[in-house]
Amino acid sequence: MINNAIEIKENLLIEESRKKVLLVINCLQGGGAERSVLTLGQGFYDLGYEVHILRFKSTVAYELNDDFIYHQLDFNSYRSIPNKSMQHWFFAKVIDNYVHKNIGSPFLILSNLDRADRVMRYSNLPNIAHVIRNTISKKIELFRSQGKKVVEADLSNIYSRHPCICISQGVEKDFQNTLAITNTKMIYNPIDKKQINQLALDFEPEFDNYLIHVGSFKTQKAHEILIRSYAKTQKKLPLLLLGEGLLLESMKELALSLGLDGHIHFLEFQKNPYPYIKKAKFMVLSSLFEGFGRVIAESLALGTPVISTDCPSGPSELLPAHNLVPVSDIDALANKINEAMIDISTYQYPFDDNLLPANIASQYIEFMTVTD
């Protein structure tokens, strides 16, 4: 009994001495940013940190890691406040009090995506940094094309208070140029190669000899470009489209109108897409813009070749020029797909082990140590 008590006390002391990392995000729905947050958390955990994840909604599309400590505070309770800035200000105070009482003093707090950023901008907690996950000028262009009002000065106000960590060189350069903010650091997204390859063995996909695209059906991913490009190929291999979103039904109609019924398969969102990616002959991306291009790095980690549009940031930092085509160029993408369907060997490219979770988490720790 005495030995057990000593062991319990020692374990408690170890837990108390661990530095804590807090990752803040609106929810854990099925997107690349959400997966990146969970992967980065694993990197911190592997380095001996206590990992806390705070979200504002209960939505979860991924398996939750039992090594993490999860928290939820409901943002919807504050939507009745007429002014959005006041909603965010009040909620930030709730978060500050909650963290002080239930978590303590994190070594690092990372805010992820728009909702969290708008709230954490008002937080008085120490050691906060925003993770910038997309090419902000392109997002502004897209929002304005949809009739949404975006003011660069408002965004500068959100991101000027705390340091900003950009997930690619292109994202950082664009962020600095667009918002005139220089307190930035570039750190790539983490990719858990070991876990991805384990998950790829979970089941055997029902398809053989196919190409694949994984991504939400939204304007940014440019499924229309991909489908129209594929229609111009010899269609030697079928195309699998994994994802869901507002544009899914219209893309199904487009494929049908182009006579691609039987050639394109819509498999909707897959909690575990890795068996499909690993078995594919190659991955193809048609995006208008990407921050990093997580699915590219994941495909390379599985040994699956990738061809992609040459977005302003992301793909060119992960792939050689031979694997890239101009954005929105239907004919160029069709030619590249045709070439890859005939001989994919020239598009093979190795995975960069610098992207492993512990390596990426170490860069965050170094950044915060220098910042302090």
Side-chain angles (χ1 to χ4, degrees):
M1 289 291 291
I2 294 176
N3 289 336
N4 286 342
I6 293 173
E7 184 177 346
I8 291 172
K9 185 176 181 180
E10 288 177 346
N11 288 337
L12 287 173
L13 288 172
I14 291 171
E15 291 294 327
E16 291 175 0
S17 67
R18 279 185 180 175
K19 288 186 176 180
K20 300 173 182 179
V21 172
L22 173 60
L23 308 176
V24 183
I25 192 167
N26 188 46
C27 66
L28 292 172
Q29 65 186 20
E34 292 81 1
R35 190 183 293 277
S36 293
V37 165
L38 295 172
T39 305
L40 182 58
Q42 184 62 55
F44 285 120
Y45 183 83
D46 289 344
L47 294 175
Y49 285 74
E50 183 178 294
V51 178
H52 295 257
I53 295 181
L54 170 63
R55 63 188 192 273
F56 306 161
K57 291 168 59 177
S58 60
T59 310
V60 174
Y62 297 114
E63 294 293 332
L64 295 183
N65 190 329
D66 292 336
D67 294 329
F68 304 162
I69 301 169
Y70 298 91
H71 310 266
Q72 183 182 332
L73 292 173
D74 185 11
F75 177 78
N76 284 332
S77 305
Y78 298 84
R79 287 184 178 276
S80 59
I81 299 173
N83 184 286
K84 285 190 175 182
S85 294
M86 290 304 294
Q87 292 176 13
H88 299 144
W89 186 89
F90 274 109
F91 194 51
K93 303 310 146 189
V94 171
I95 290 174
D96 287 3
N97 290 332
Y98 181 88
V99 170
H100 282 309
K101 292 179 180 178
N102 297 280
I103 299 176
S105 301
F107 169 78
L108 174 62
I109 300 173
L110 294 177
S111 174
N112 297 269
L113 298 181
D114 181 69
R115 173 62 53 75
D117 291 341
R118 291 179 180 273
V119 171
M120 297 307 291
R121 174 259 178 274
Y122 293 105
S123 172
N124 289 319
L125 294 170
N127 307 326
I128 294 174
H130 296 286
V131 182
I132 310 302
R133 297 190 172 278
N134 228 319
T135 313
I136 200 161
S137 67
K138 295 299 179 182
K139 286 195 71 174
I140 290 172
E141 287 178 15
L142 178 59
F143 287 155
R144 286 175 176 163
S145 72
Q146 297 170 342
K148 298 177 183 178
K149 183 180 179 181
V150 184
V151 180
E152 282 88 343
D154 292 341
L155 294 174
S156 295
N157 185 42
I158 292 170
Y159 292 112
S160 60
R161 187 176 180 196
H162 305 298
C164 294
I165 297 172
C166 303
I167 63 169
S168 71
Q169 295 173 21
V171 164
E172 182 178 36
K173 182 178 179 180
D174 177 80
F175 185 78
Q176 292 176 343
N177 291 340
T178 304
L179 301 184
I181 293 175
T182 57
N183 188 14
T184 63
K185 171 72 174 178
M186 194 288 292
I187 303 178
Y188 286 127
N189 268 337
I191 304 295
D192 194 335
K193 181 179 179 180
K194 180 179 179 181
Q195 181 192 48
I196 288 171
N197 277 275
Q198 288 175 340
L199 289 170
L201 301 176
D202 272 3
F203 61 87
E204 178 70 18
E206 62 273 31
F207 297 91
D208 292 303
N209 298 318
Y210 55 86
L211 59 148
I212 191 170
H213 177 281
V214 178
S216 302
F217 282 82
K218 56 185 179 181
T219 304
Q220 175 186 344
K221 300 299 181 180
H223 284 84
E224 180 177 353
I225 298 295
L226 174 57
I227 291 171
R228 292 189 182 281
S229 295
Y230 179 78
K232 289 193 165 191
T233 71
Q234 297 177 15
K235 297 180 281 294
K236 290 180 177 292
L237 301 175
L239 170 61
L240 272 56
L241 301 178
L242 277 62
E244 57 188 14
L246 294 175
L247 299 180
L248 175 58
E249 292 306 316
S250 63
M251 291 303 102
K252 287 181 178 179
E253 293 173 5
L254 175 62
L256 194 62
S257 71
L258 293 173
L260 297 175
D261 188 34
H263 292 284
I264 295 182
H265 303 275
F266 294 86
L267 301 188
E268 300 189 346
F269 174 77
Q270 302 291 318
K271 183 178 289 188
N272 179 9
Y274 300 119
Y276 290 101
I277 297 174
K278 185 174 180 63
K279 193 177 179 181
K281 291 297 183 183
F282 62 95
M283 168 75 66
V284 58
L285 269 76
S286 51
S287 302
L288 302 177
F289 61 94
E290 290 284 346
F292 172 72
R294 180 180 182 84
V295 72
I296 296 176
E298 290 180 331
S299 298
L300 298 180
L302 290 166
T304 302
V306 182
I307 61 175
S308 172
T309 46
D310 189 9
C311 303
S313 63
S316 64
E317 297 175 46
L318 298 169
L319 295 169
H322 176 64
N323 294 48
L324 303 171
V325 299
V327 172
S328 298
D329 191 327
I330 292 174
D331 289 334
L333 185 57
N335 291 337
K336 190 70 71 172
I337 291 173
N338 258 335
E339 292 175 7
M341 284 194 290
I342 295 169
D343 181 11
I344 193 58
S345 62
T346 61
Y347 296 97
Q348 288 282 358
Y349 198 69
F351 174 78
D352 184 356
D353 284 344
N354 288 317
L355 300 177
L356 295 175
N359 294 336
I360 297 300
S362 294
Q363 294 180 47
Y364 276 89
I365 293 165
E366 180 182 358
F367 168 75
M368 185 50 61
T369 302
V370 172
T371 302
D372 286 346

